[in-house]
Amino acid sequence: MNDYNKQLNKSLSQEDKNFWSEFFKSKINWNVNLEQEYNGIDAIIEKNNIQFKIREQYYSDILIEFSHSNGEKGWINKQQKCNYLIYGWRNHNNIYIFDWNELTNFWNTKQVYLFKKYGKKNIQSAINKNKITFNYSIPFKELNKLYTIRNKN
């Protein structure tokens, strides 16, 4: 079972902030409020609103949260105020940077294609204390023009 609060605290830890900072020469402004976080803003870099997603190990796909068992929308289907989603893996030397609008447009226009091609086998559920989140894994080869890879400085 996932513990959302534990994962949130880990993502807000100095260790994770140091991890993300290794990829940017510009200063990362971590001073965001709860409303900004709810709207998909974890930090600000050069006036761009950033949402970070980190996975424990490398996979060759992005895991898109599309729904919750309580009827709430997953992050890909919410009106977020971020400009970029930055996707990384602990102990990995690069990150993938997605333009938020391009990523959500891809999901909105290609999900039928993805379900036809990969089927339900790419749906993954994560059991949390209060709900289950439903996610879809999209291989990076499907997204090859939607992201930029950045290596550690």
Side-chain angles (χ1 to χ4, degrees):
M1 179 181 328
N2 293 325
D3 185 334
Y4 174 79
N5 289 328
K6 185 177 178 181
Q7 288 178 326
L8 178 61
N9 287 335
K10 190 172 186 180
S11 73
L12 297 173
S13 71
Q14 192 59 49
E15 178 184 358
D16 274 14
K17 290 176 181 178
N18 291 343
F19 168 82
W20 293 115
S21 296
E22 291 182 35
F23 294 95
F24 297 95
K25 292 178 183 170
S26 302
K27 184 177 186 283
I28 299 175
N29 177 0
W30 296 103
N31 190 22
V32 296
N33 61 42
L34 193 58
E35 181 181 345
Q36 287 172 303
E37 286 183 18
Y38 185 76
N39 286 308
I41 303 168
D42 295 324
I44 300 168
I45 303 173
E46 295 180 356
K47 298 183 182 181
N48 288 300
N49 296 332
I50 307 297
Q51 184 174 158
F52 292 109
K53 298 290 180 191
I54 193 164
R55 292 173 84 178
E56 295 300 320
Q57 63 186 44
Y58 179 81
Y59 297 92
S60 59
D61 60 40
I62 185 172
L63 197 60
I64 301 287
E65 180 190 87
F66 63 89
S67 180
H68 298 182
S69 61
N70 64 3
E72 186 181 341
K73 294 177 181 179
W75 56 259
I76 194 68
N77 291 318
K78 290 181 180 177
Q79 293 294 323
Q80 304 280 14
K81 293 184 179 177
C82 58
N83 304 104
Y84 297 97
L85 177 117
I86 302 180
Y87 207 78
W89 305 266
R90 295 186 201 287
N91 303 315
H92 202 67
N93 291 324
N94 56 39
I95 56 174
Y96 290 12
I97 302 171
F98 292 88
D99 177 279
W100 177 256
N101 290 329
E102 289 178 13
L103 180 61
T104 56
N105 184 56
F106 176 87
W107 174 250
N108 291 330
T109 60
K110 301 289 187 187
Q111 57 186 290
V112 171
Y113 157 79
L114 293 167
F115 275 85
K116 282 183 181 177
K117 184 171 182 177
Y118 298 102
K120 292 182 179 180
K121 69 180 176 74
N122 281 31
I123 296 176
Q124 299 178 30
S125 58
I127 300 170
N128 296 278
K129 285 185 176 181
N130 299 322
K131 61 187 171 190
I132 299 171
T133 59
F134 300 104
N135 309 281
Y136 201 82
S137 60
I138 304 173
F140 285 121
K141 66 183 180 183
E142 297 289 349
L143 301 160
N144 61 3
K145 295 182 180 177
L146 289 182
Y147 61 88
T148 302
I149 298 174
R150 178 170 288 183
N151 297 314
K152 285 184 179 180
N153 287 328

